Amino acid sequence: MGCLVPFIVNTIALMVVAGFFPGFTIDGFGAAIVAGLVLTLINLVIRPLLIFFTLPLSVVTFGLFIFVINALMLMLTSAVMGEAFNMSGFGMAFLAAVVIAVLNMLMYNLFVNPLSGRKT
């Protein structure tokens, strides 16, 4: 169940962002599920390495560089997905990364943590 919750949360967040921003497109529900899976795997494998190697830069920017890393992870997901998942550029990826971070926080605090019995 450790990877299932982030997968579901990422998939929902991707669909919400795709619904609100015209520069962020996903070709249907199936593509959103695959994109959520790819993004979850990338976040589990590559993102921790990038965060480790850019830790001094993250400290200097008070953690704001994490949004750049998240935008790069979205762009990598888009590259892996091909035409099924597109973004208009880095600016859109950065905006989507910020919105997805907010959506993830809301979903975890409103649904995941209360349902699992965790206190935050």
Side-chain angles (χ1 to χ4, degrees), residues 59-81:
V59 170
V60 169
T61 62
F62 301 107
L64 293 176
F65 191 72
I66 299 296
F67 290 119
V68 173
I69 292 173
N70 290 345
L72 292 172
M73 298 302 96
L74 282 172
M75 292 183 78
L76 182 59
T77 301
S78 177
V80 169
M81 291 287 299

PDB file of all heavy atoms in Angstrom, residues 59-81:
ATOM      1  N   VAL A  59      18.780  24.620   0.257  1.00  0.00           N
ATOM      2  CA  VAL A  59      18.929  25.318   1.534  1.00  0.00           C
ATOM      3  C   VAL A  59      19.036  26.819   1.306  1.00  0.00           C
ATOM      4  O   VAL A  59      18.394  27.611   1.995  1.00  0.00           O
ATOM      5  CB  VAL A  59      20.147  24.777   2.318  1.00  0.00           C
ATOM      6  CG1 VAL A  59      20.470  25.651   3.520  1.00  0.00           C
ATOM      7  CG2 VAL A  59      19.898  23.340   2.752  1.00  0.00           C
ATOM      8  N   VAL A  60      19.842  27.222   0.323  1.00  0.00           N
ATOM      9  CA  VAL A  60      20.031  28.647   0.025  1.00  0.00           C
ATOM     10  C   VAL A  60      18.723  29.298  -0.411  1.00  0.00           C
ATOM     11  O   VAL A  60      18.448  30.446  -0.071  1.00  0.00           O
ATOM     12  CB  VAL A  60      21.135  28.838  -1.047  1.00  0.00           C
ATOM     13  CG1 VAL A  60      21.170  30.259  -1.578  1.00  0.00           C
ATOM     14  CG2 VAL A  60      22.485  28.447  -0.481  1.00  0.00           C
ATOM     15  N   THR A  61      17.891  28.566  -1.144  1.00  0.00           N
ATOM     16  CA  THR A  61      16.617  29.117  -1.629  1.00  0.00           C
ATOM     17  C   THR A  61      15.457  28.813  -0.683  1.00  0.00           C
ATOM     18  O   THR A  61      14.293  28.983  -1.068  1.00  0.00           O
ATOM     19  CB  THR A  61      16.282  28.570  -3.032  1.00  0.00           C
ATOM     20  OG1 THR A  61      16.135  27.155  -2.965  1.00  0.00           O
ATOM     21  CG2 THR A  61      17.348  28.950  -4.036  1.00  0.00           C
ATOM     22  N   PHE A  62      15.791  28.379   0.533  1.00  0.00           N
ATOM     23  CA  PHE A  62      14.774  28.059   1.552  1.00  0.00           C
ATOM     24  C   PHE A  62      13.765  27.020   1.066  1.00  0.00           C
ATOM     25  O   PHE A  62      12.584  27.089   1.366  1.00  0.00           O
ATOM     26  CB  PHE A  62      14.051  29.319   2.017  1.00  0.00           C
ATOM     27  CG  PHE A  62      14.960  30.355   2.608  1.00  0.00           C
ATOM     28  CD1 PHE A  62      15.259  31.509   1.918  1.00  0.00           C
ATOM     29  CD2 PHE A  62      15.543  30.149   3.847  1.00  0.00           C
ATOM     30  CE1 PHE A  62      16.120  32.453   2.453  1.00  0.00           C
ATOM     31  CE2 PHE A  62      16.402  31.087   4.395  1.00  0.00           C
ATOM     32  CZ  PHE A  62      16.697  32.250   3.694  1.00  0.00           C
ATOM     33  N   GLY A  63      14.220  26.064   0.290  1.00  0.00           N
ATOM     34  CA  GLY A  63      13.383  24.972  -0.170  1.00  0.00           C
ATOM     35  C   GLY A  63      12.607  25.226  -1.444  1.00  0.00           C
ATOM     36  O   GLY A  63      11.945  24.333  -1.969  1.00  0.00           O
ATOM     37  N   LEU A  64      12.669  26.429  -1.967  1.00  0.00           N
ATOM     38  CA  LEU A  64      11.902  26.748  -3.174  1.00  0.00           C
ATOM     39  C   LEU A  64      12.445  26.034  -4.410  1.00  0.00           C
ATOM     40  O   LEU A  64      11.712  25.854  -5.382  1.00  0.00           O
ATOM     41  CB  LEU A  64      11.863  28.255  -3.398  1.00  0.00           C
ATOM     42  CG  LEU A  64      11.082  29.040  -2.347  1.00  0.00           C
ATOM     43  CD1 LEU A  64      11.183  30.533  -2.622  1.00  0.00           C
ATOM     44  CD2 LEU A  64       9.638  28.594  -2.308  1.00  0.00           C
ATOM     45  N   PHE A  65      13.716  25.616  -4.380  1.00  0.00           N
ATOM     46  CA  PHE A  65      14.271  24.893  -5.522  1.00  0.00           C
ATOM     47  C   PHE A  65      13.590  23.537  -5.706  1.00  0.00           C
ATOM     48  O   PHE A  65      13.629  22.966  -6.791  1.00  0.00           O
ATOM     49  CB  PHE A  65      15.783  24.715  -5.369  1.00  0.00           C
ATOM     50  CG  PHE A  65      16.449  24.221  -6.615  1.00  0.00           C
ATOM     51  CD1 PHE A  65      16.602  25.058  -7.698  1.00  0.00           C
ATOM     52  CD2 PHE A  65      16.893  22.913  -6.712  1.00  0.00           C
ATOM     53  CE1 PHE A  65      17.202  24.597  -8.868  1.00  0.00           C
ATOM     54  CE2 PHE A  65      17.487  22.442  -7.865  1.00  0.00           C
ATOM     55  CZ  PHE A  65      17.654  23.292  -8.956  1.00  0.00           C
ATOM     56  N   ILE A  66      12.933  23.035  -4.679  1.00  0.00           N
ATOM     57  CA  ILE A  66      12.196  21.762  -4.783  1.00  0.00           C
ATOM     58  C   ILE A  66      11.120  21.875  -5.865  1.00  0.00           C
ATOM     59  O   ILE A  66      10.843  20.897  -6.578  1.00  0.00           O
ATOM     60  CB  ILE A  66      11.577  21.377  -3.424  1.00  0.00           C
ATOM     61  CG1 ILE A  66      12.662  21.196  -2.367  1.00  0.00           C
ATOM     62  CG2 ILE A  66      10.714  20.137  -3.533  1.00  0.00           C
ATOM     63  CD1 ILE A  66      13.630  20.071  -2.615  1.00  0.00           C
ATOM     64  N   PHE A  67      10.513  23.069  -6.013  1.00  0.00           N
ATOM     65  CA  PHE A  67       9.514  23.248  -7.071  1.00  0.00           C
ATOM     66  C   PHE A  67      10.137  23.103  -8.454  1.00  0.00           C
ATOM     67  O   PHE A  67       9.500  22.591  -9.379  1.00  0.00           O
ATOM     68  CB  PHE A  67       8.811  24.602  -6.948  1.00  0.00           C
ATOM     69  CG  PHE A  67       7.891  24.691  -5.765  1.00  0.00           C
ATOM     70  CD1 PHE A  67       8.117  25.626  -4.772  1.00  0.00           C
ATOM     71  CD2 PHE A  67       6.814  23.842  -5.644  1.00  0.00           C
ATOM     72  CE1 PHE A  67       7.269  25.711  -3.675  1.00  0.00           C
ATOM     73  CE2 PHE A  67       5.961  23.910  -4.554  1.00  0.00           C
ATOM     74  CZ  PHE A  67       6.193  24.848  -3.559  1.00  0.00           C
ATOM     75  N   VAL A  68      11.385  23.532  -8.602  1.00  0.00           N
ATOM     76  CA  VAL A  68      12.091  23.361  -9.875  1.00  0.00           C
ATOM     77  C   VAL A  68      12.320  21.874 -10.123  1.00  0.00           C
ATOM     78  O   VAL A  68      12.119  21.387 -11.247  1.00  0.00           O
ATOM     79  CB  VAL A  68      13.421  24.146  -9.880  1.00  0.00           C
ATOM     80  CG1 VAL A  68      14.234  23.841 -11.125  1.00  0.00           C
ATOM     81  CG2 VAL A  68      13.158  25.643  -9.760  1.00  0.00           C
ATOM     82  N   ILE A  69      12.722  21.148  -9.091  1.00  0.00           N
ATOM     83  CA  ILE A  69      12.921  19.703  -9.229  1.00  0.00           C
ATOM     84  C   ILE A  69      11.600  19.023  -9.586  1.00  0.00           C
ATOM     85  O   ILE A  69      11.551  18.157 -10.468  1.00  0.00           O
ATOM     86  CB  ILE A  69      13.523  19.112  -7.937  1.00  0.00           C
ATOM     87  CG1 ILE A  69      14.944  19.624  -7.760  1.00  0.00           C
ATOM     88  CG2 ILE A  69      13.481  17.590  -7.951  1.00  0.00           C
ATOM     89  CD1 ILE A  69      15.579  19.250  -6.442  1.00  0.00           C
ATOM     90  N   ASN A  70      10.507  19.422  -8.934  1.00  0.00           N
ATOM     91  CA  ASN A  70       9.197  18.849  -9.248  1.00  0.00           C
ATOM     92  C   ASN A  70       8.793  19.150 -10.689  1.00  0.00           C
ATOM     93  O   ASN A  70       8.226  18.293 -11.370  1.00  0.00           O
ATOM     94  CB  ASN A  70       8.145  19.371  -8.279  1.00  0.00           C
ATOM     95  CG  ASN A  70       8.321  18.819  -6.878  1.00  0.00           C
ATOM     96  OD1 ASN A  70       9.041  17.858  -6.663  1.00  0.00           O
ATOM     97  ND2 ASN A  70       7.675  19.452  -5.923  1.00  0.00           N
ATOM     98  N   ALA A  71       9.086  20.355 -11.168  1.00  0.00           N
ATOM     99  CA  ALA A  71       8.787  20.709 -12.563  1.00  0.00           C
ATOM    100  C   ALA A  71       9.601  19.845 -13.515  1.00  0.00           C
ATOM    101  O   ALA A  71       9.084  19.380 -14.540  1.00  0.00           O
ATOM    102  CB  ALA A  71       9.058  22.192 -12.801  1.00  0.00           C
ATOM    103  N   LEU A  72      10.859  19.603 -13.174  1.00  0.00           N
ATOM    104  CA  LEU A  72      11.693  18.732 -14.009  1.00  0.00           C
ATOM    105  C   LEU A  72      11.159  17.302 -14.021  1.00  0.00           C
ATOM    106  O   LEU A  72      11.208  16.627 -15.052  1.00  0.00           O
ATOM    107  CB  LEU A  72      13.139  18.767 -13.526  1.00  0.00           C
ATOM    108  CG  LEU A  72      13.877  20.089 -13.731  1.00  0.00           C
ATOM    109  CD1 LEU A  72      15.238  20.058 -13.042  1.00  0.00           C
ATOM    110  CD2 LEU A  72      14.012  20.408 -15.204  1.00  0.00           C
ATOM    111  N   MET A  73      10.625  16.833 -12.892  1.00  0.00           N
ATOM    112  CA  MET A  73      10.045  15.483 -12.837  1.00  0.00           C
ATOM    113  C   MET A  73       8.797  15.407 -13.722  1.00  0.00           C
ATOM    114  O   MET A  73       8.555  14.398 -14.380  1.00  0.00           O
ATOM    115  CB  MET A  73       9.703  15.078 -11.403  1.00  0.00           C
ATOM    116  CG  MET A  73      10.889  15.002 -10.453  1.00  0.00           C
ATOM    117  SD  MET A  73      12.198  13.876 -10.952  1.00  0.00           S
ATOM    118  CE  MET A  73      13.339  14.961 -11.771  1.00  0.00           C
ATOM    119  N   LEU A  74       8.006  16.482 -13.733  1.00  0.00           N
ATOM    120  CA  LEU A  74       6.841  16.525 -14.625  1.00  0.00           C
ATOM    121  C   LEU A  74       7.270  16.524 -16.088  1.00  0.00           C
ATOM    122  O   LEU A  74       6.650  15.855 -16.924  1.00  0.00           O
ATOM    123  CB  LEU A  74       5.986  17.760 -14.342  1.00  0.00           C
ATOM    124  CG  LEU A  74       5.084  17.685 -13.130  1.00  0.00           C
ATOM    125  CD1 LEU A  74       4.447  19.045 -12.869  1.00  0.00           C
ATOM    126  CD2 LEU A  74       4.017  16.633 -13.316  1.00  0.00           C
ATOM    127  N   MET A  75       8.325  17.271 -16.404  1.00  0.00           N
ATOM    128  CA  MET A  75       8.807  17.302 -17.783  1.00  0.00           C
ATOM    129  C   MET A  75       9.368  15.942 -18.198  1.00  0.00           C
ATOM    130  O   MET A  75       9.173  15.506 -19.337  1.00  0.00           O
ATOM    131  CB  MET A  75       9.849  18.405 -17.951  1.00  0.00           C
ATOM    132  CG  MET A  75       9.255  19.793 -17.814  1.00  0.00           C
ATOM    133  SD  MET A  75      10.436  21.098 -18.090  1.00  0.00           S
ATOM    134  CE  MET A  75      10.510  21.061 -19.874  1.00  0.00           C
ATOM    135  N   LEU A  76      10.029  15.254 -17.269  1.00  0.00           N
ATOM    136  CA  LEU A  76      10.525  13.904 -17.556  1.00  0.00           C
ATOM    137  C   LEU A  76       9.365  12.939 -17.776  1.00  0.00           C
ATOM    138  O   LEU A  76       9.392  12.113 -18.702  1.00  0.00           O
ATOM    139  CB  LEU A  76      11.427  13.425 -16.420  1.00  0.00           C
ATOM    140  CG  LEU A  76      12.053  12.049 -16.585  1.00  0.00           C
ATOM    141  CD1 LEU A  76      12.904  11.977 -17.843  1.00  0.00           C
ATOM    142  CD2 LEU A  76      12.884  11.704 -15.348  1.00  0.00           C
ATOM    143  N   THR A  77       8.329  13.070 -16.972  1.00  0.00           N
ATOM    144  CA  THR A  77       7.134  12.240 -17.160  1.00  0.00           C
ATOM    145  C   THR A  77       6.514  12.510 -18.525  1.00  0.00           C
ATOM    146  O   THR A  77       6.122  11.576 -19.230  1.00  0.00           O
ATOM    147  CB  THR A  77       6.106  12.532 -16.044  1.00  0.00           C
ATOM    148  OG1 THR A  77       6.701  12.252 -14.781  1.00  0.00           O
ATOM    149  CG2 THR A  77       4.856  11.683 -16.214  1.00  0.00           C
ATOM    150  N   SER A  78       6.442  13.771 -18.913  1.00  0.00           N
ATOM    151  CA  SER A  78       5.905  14.138 -20.219  1.00  0.00           C
ATOM    152  C   SER A  78       6.747  13.543 -21.345  1.00  0.00           C
ATOM    153  O   SER A  78       6.209  13.064 -22.344  1.00  0.00           O
ATOM    154  CB  SER A  78       5.843  15.660 -20.348  1.00  0.00           C
ATOM    155  OG  SER A  78       5.404  16.040 -21.622  1.00  0.00           O
ATOM    156  N   ALA A  79       8.064  13.552 -21.176  1.00  0.00           N
ATOM    157  CA  ALA A  79       8.942  12.979 -22.200  1.00  0.00           C
ATOM    158  C   ALA A  79       8.758  11.470 -22.318  1.00  0.00           C
ATOM    159  O   ALA A  79       8.755  10.919 -23.421  1.00  0.00           O
ATOM    160  CB  ALA A  79      10.400  13.309 -21.871  1.00  0.00           C
ATOM    161  N   VAL A  80       8.567  10.801 -21.180  1.00  0.00           N
ATOM    162  CA  VAL A  80       8.349   9.348 -21.202  1.00  0.00           C
ATOM    163  C   VAL A  80       7.000   9.013 -21.827  1.00  0.00           C
ATOM    164  O   VAL A  80       6.885   8.060 -22.597  1.00  0.00           O
ATOM    165  CB  VAL A  80       8.449   8.773 -19.762  1.00  0.00           C
ATOM    166  CG1 VAL A  80       7.961   7.337 -19.702  1.00  0.00           C
ATOM    167  CG2 VAL A  80       9.868   8.882 -19.241  1.00  0.00           C
ATOM    168  N   MET A  81       5.987   9.819 -21.537  1.00  0.00           N
ATOM    169  CA  MET A  81       4.624   9.556 -22.009  1.00  0.00           C
ATOM    170  C   MET A  81       4.426   9.876 -23.489  1.00  0.00           C
ATOM    171  O   MET A  81       3.510   9.356 -24.114  1.00  0.00           O
ATOM    172  CB  MET A  81       3.619  10.360 -21.196  1.00  0.00           C
ATOM    173  CG  MET A  81       3.468   9.913 -19.769  1.00  0.00           C
ATOM    174  SD  MET A  81       2.595   8.367 -19.622  1.00  0.00           S
ATOM    175  CE  MET A  81       1.021   8.779 -20.321  1.00  0.00           C
TER     176      MET A  81
END
